[in-house]
């Protein structure tokens, strides 16, 4: 037998051996009868949107993995590609973040290797599997329907946990989203099967930061048996059986067929005190701590909050408030002498700005001010040495305690003494020289939250209103959160005395510091994202701005910049009707378009040109 023939026999023999021992075996992954519709019967999944994690997410993962002493973690780096250096760094990062020494890397791009005993050996004692990010199709190419795939499921069956972020999130679904080898811009590509740890599901990630929130809609509309889950960065869901719980800093978004069709059962409690419905749009948001029943497709409401004892009741305080006394004051009737006066506030005939003030600055917050926002307010008000702050508490009602607490809080925050409270519900008082005296030297005005119509009732078209403008004209700053945000727009959104559920009510004129605008707040936390759309569609001259809690915008002339921790949503007429010019760079590396839906999000540091109606790159 010649040498060439012997080589051919050896090659054929090896090929037959591989075929018989690996490829000819039936797939170890079979359809199992399951008592759960979506999640695993045992164990847990942590599915993260990418962009890093939070301490709480890491703590929960470590707890489910058995704690520092008992955790055996296997890191799957296949999604990242064949970078040995990256793979080593990934393992070291897991060790450092979790304080665990027993960390093993598994990496292959070979189905043959993924079907070998040697490769799966570390998984036999693993209490946790950690999928890194990258491209999800690589994990499908390497592990789908292999013995390694079965070994992942065995970790769950032993009560372990599987974690994955970004690509490591999407691969956990049964349908593989953005699984095309040419790039994540292709939603349904040449890889469509995920590892299926979360059954009957499709998972997207980097959701709000990359303006992907509308991408799953059409797919779920045509796939009623699937649940779509979108995860923003630094946000995760914990899934145990069919219960999903949100962890992290931002939001999970639920795409349910019934909700898309307007038949969703998603009325739920927010902050343990108010009921909001998520059925006003085709998807809805869940924040940290909220839970969702995947099997019954409904939000799990937490019980209402109650005060257990007088010690936990709202505090009271005493103090003086500049201006009229806090007892009830009867507003003058429309035919009174006061109403007959010419308004001291008139529309300015000439302006070089379309929206923002010609001078000075506005800080408009969805509710809650981050340290960065507070610091920016003090800086624009002149710093510790020069700041003179006037606090306007009309929105909160006649609460002397609240009025005093707000001023004291600002004093303590900044270490300054020049803080005075103005409070009235009387147009007559707001038109008096005595009342507006503190505003004549103010460098900053702070509008307290509450109900925005109260501010309009007290100050609209008065000398005090003009005095607010004068603060801006001197280069000062006006700040407000919640109701103190909405009142700064020209159209007063949610201004009805009956409640904020009425979008266009019996008060429709704001103080107009931000012209040609309507401003909403508590946006994502209270699932209000779709409320402004129809209004902007019917009012093309207006720009709608929605602000989530802890999010704020800084407006100087016609430039808007996001300075808070969450998101600002822009509702522009052109975007609403599908002709938006809102392709923009995210994280200085990729271009994403926001024109696939009627609104788009801006995150911290991003800027928007209100006059030209486009993102500033």
């Amino acid at each position: 037998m010649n040498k060439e023939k012997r080589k051919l026999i050896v090659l054929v023999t090896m090929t037959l051996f591989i075929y018989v021992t690996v490829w000819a075996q039936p797939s170890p992954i079979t359809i199992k009868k399951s008592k759960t519709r979506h999640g695993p019967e045992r164990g847990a999944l942590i599915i993260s949107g990418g962009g890093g994690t939070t301490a709480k997410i890491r703590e929960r993962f470590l707890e489910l993995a058995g704690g520092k002493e008992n955790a055996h973690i296997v890191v799957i780096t296949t999604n990242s590609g064949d970078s040995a250096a990256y793979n080593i760094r990934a393992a070291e990062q897991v060790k450092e973040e979790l304080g665990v020494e027993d960390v093993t890397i598994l990496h292959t791009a070979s189905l043959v290797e993924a079907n070998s005993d040697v490769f799966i050996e570390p998984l036999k004692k693993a209490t946790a599997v950690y999928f890194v990010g990258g491209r999800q199709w690589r994990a499908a190419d390497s592990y789908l329907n292999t013995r390694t795939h079965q070994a992942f499921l065995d970790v769950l069956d032993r009560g372990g946990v599987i974690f994955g972020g970004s690509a490591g999130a999407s691969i956990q679904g049964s349908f593989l989203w953005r699984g095309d080898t040419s790039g994540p811009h292709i939603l349904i590509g040449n890889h469509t099967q995920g590892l299926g740890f979360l059954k009957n599901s499709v998972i997207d990630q980097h959701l709000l930061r990359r303006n992907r929130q509308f991408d799953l809609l059409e797919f779920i509309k045509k796939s009623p048996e699937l649940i779509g889950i979108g995860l923003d960065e630094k946000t995760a869901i914990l899934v145990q059986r069919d219960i999903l719980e949100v962890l992290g800093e931002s939001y999970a978004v639920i795409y349910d067929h019934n909700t898309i069709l307007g038949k969703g059962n998603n009325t739920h409690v927010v902050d343990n005190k108010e009921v909001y419905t998520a059925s006003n749009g085709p998807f809805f948001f869940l924040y940290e701590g909220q839970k969702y029943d995947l099997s019954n497709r409904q939000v799990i409401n937490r019980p209402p909050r109650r005060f257990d004892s007088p010690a936990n009741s709202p505090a009271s305080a005493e103090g003086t408030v500049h201006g009229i006394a806090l007892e009830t004051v009867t507003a003058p009737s429309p035919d009174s002498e006061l109403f007959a006066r010419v308004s001291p506030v008139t529309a300015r005939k000439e302006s070089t700005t379309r929206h923002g003030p010609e001078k000075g600055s506005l800080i408009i917050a969805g509710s809650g001010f981050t340290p960065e926002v507070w610091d920016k307010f003090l800086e624009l008000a002149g710093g510790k040495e020069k700041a003179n702050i006037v606090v306007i508490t009309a929105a909160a009602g006649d609460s002397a305690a609240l009025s005093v607490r707000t001023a004291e809080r600002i004093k303590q925050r900044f270490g300054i003494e020049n803080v005075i409270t103005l409070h009235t519900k009387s147009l007559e008082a707001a038109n008096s020289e005595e009342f507006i005296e503190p505003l004549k030297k103010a460098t900053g005005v702070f509008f307290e939250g509450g109900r925005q119509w109260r501010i309009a009732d007290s100050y609209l078209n008065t000398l005090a209103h003009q005095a607010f403008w004068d603060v801006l004209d001197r280069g000062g700053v006006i700040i407000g959160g919640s109701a103190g945000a909405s009142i700064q727009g020209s159209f007063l959104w949610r201004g009805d005395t009956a409640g904020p559920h009425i979008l266009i009510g019996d008060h429709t004129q704001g103080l107009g510091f931000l012209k040609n605008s309507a401003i909403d707040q508590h946006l994502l936390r209270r699932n209000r994202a779709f409320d402004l759309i129809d209004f902007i569609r019917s009012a093309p001259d207006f720009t709608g701005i929605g602000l989530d809690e802890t999010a704020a915008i800084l407006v100087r002339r016609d430039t808007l910049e996001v300075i808070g921790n969450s998101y600002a949503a822009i509702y522009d007429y052109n975007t609403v009707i599908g002709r938006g010019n809102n392709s923009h760079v995210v994280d200085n590396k990729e271009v994403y378009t926001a024109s696939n839906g009627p609104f788009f999000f801006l995150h911290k540091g991003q800027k928007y040109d209100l006059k030209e109606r486009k993102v500033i790159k």
Side-chain angles (χ1 to χ4, degrees), residues 78-347:
T78 302
N79 285 329
S80 66
D82 293 326
S83 168
Y86 177 87
N87 297 339
I88 292 171
R89 283 201 308 273
E92 290 303 317
Q93 184 176 348
V94 171
K95 286 182 180 180
E96 182 180 339
E97 288 183 347
L98 300 177
V100 175
E101 283 301 316
D102 191 346
V103 177
T104 304
I105 292 175
L106 280 186
H107 183 97
T108 188
S110 164
L111 286 168
V112 173
E113 189 172 12
N115 266 316
S116 68
D117 285 328
V118 174
F119 189 80
I120 67 171
E121 190 63 32
L123 288 166
K124 292 179 180 178
K125 66 171 185 176
T127 61
V129 178
Y130 190 115
F131 283 87
V132 304
R135 295 303 312 282
Q136 46 265 47
W137 60 265
R138 291 179 178 137
D141 263 359
S142 302
Y143 302 116
L144 192 62
N145 296 335
T146 64
R147 295 176 68 197
T148 299
H149 191 174
Q150 181 63 64
F152 296 149
L153 291 172
D154 292 342
V155 172
L156 292 174
D157 286 342
R158 294 195 300 269
V161 57
I162 293 178
F163 172 92
S166 190
S170 292
I171 194 63
Q172 296 192 53
S174 55
F175 187 96
L176 190 59
W177 195 243
R178 302 186 193 276
D180 198 272
T181 52
S182 63
H185 58 287
I186 297 175
L187 306 182
I188 301 174
N190 50 20
H191 291 67
T192 57
Q193 187 178 350
L195 297 180
F197 307 138
L198 188 62
K199 303 184 291 294
N200 303 310
S201 73
V202 53
I203 302 167
D204 205 357
Q205 12 80 5
H206 301 281
L207 199 78
L208 307 184
R209 192 172 181 92
R210 296 187 182 179
N211 276 293
R212 293 175 167 179
Q213 60 272 9
F214 292 96
D215 291 350
L216 273 168
L217 281 179
E218 290 301 318
F219 180 73
I220 297 298
K221 187 183 291 183
K222 297 172 183 176
S223 308
E225 75 283 0
L226 298 182
I227 286 279
I229 300 169
L231 296 163
D232 196 31
E233 297 188 357
K234 293 188 176 179
T235 306
I237 54 170
L238 166 64
V239 182
Q240 293 173 299
R241 296 184 66 83
D242 275 333
I243 303 301
L244 172 161
E245 179 184 354
V246 180
L247 310 171
E249 295 179 357
S250 190
Y251 294 88
V253 179
I254 302 296
Y255 303 83
D256 164 50
H257 179 73
N258 291 324
T259 304
I260 291 172
L261 297 181
K263 299 185 293 187
N265 180 27
N266 296 305
T267 299
H268 56 290
V269 175
V270 173
D271 296 336
N272 296 329
K273 58 186 177 182
E274 294 189 64
V275 176
Y276 300 92
T277 180
S279 59
N280 61 335
F283 54 80
F284 60 94
F285 302 85
L286 297 175
Y287 58 84
E288 183 170 55
Q290 286 195 300
K291 294 182 179 180
Y292 184 75
D293 185 329
L294 290 160
S295 181
N296 293 310
R297 301 196 176 197
Q298 62 184 24
V299 177
I300 300 171
N301 289 327
R302 292 177 288 183
R305 177 174 54 188
R306 71 177 190 274
F307 295 114
D308 297 317
S309 67
N312 293 327
S313 299
S316 62
E318 296 180 358
T320 58
V321 179
H322 178 88
I324 201 158
L326 294 178
E327 63 266 14
T328 301
V329 178
T330 303
S333 64
D335 56 354
S336 71
E337 180 183 345
L338 178 60
F339 271 80
R341 296 177 186 174
V342 176
S343 167
V345 178
T346 58

Side-chain angles (χ1 to χ4, degrees), residues 326 393-400 402-403 423-425 448-451 454:
L326 294 178
T393 57
D398 290 331
S399 169
L402 176 63
S403 302
H423 182 93
T424 187
K425 59 191 296 185
E448 183 64 87
R451 294 303 314 282
R454 293 180 179 137

Side-chain angles (χ1 to χ4, degrees), residues 531-554:
D531 290 351
L532 271 167
I533 292 172
D534 287 335
F535 174 74
I536 296 300
R537 184 181 284 121
S538 64
D541 291 336
F542 282 73
T543 294
I545 299 170
L547 297 163
D548 193 34
E549 297 185 4
T550 75
I553 55 172
L554 168 63

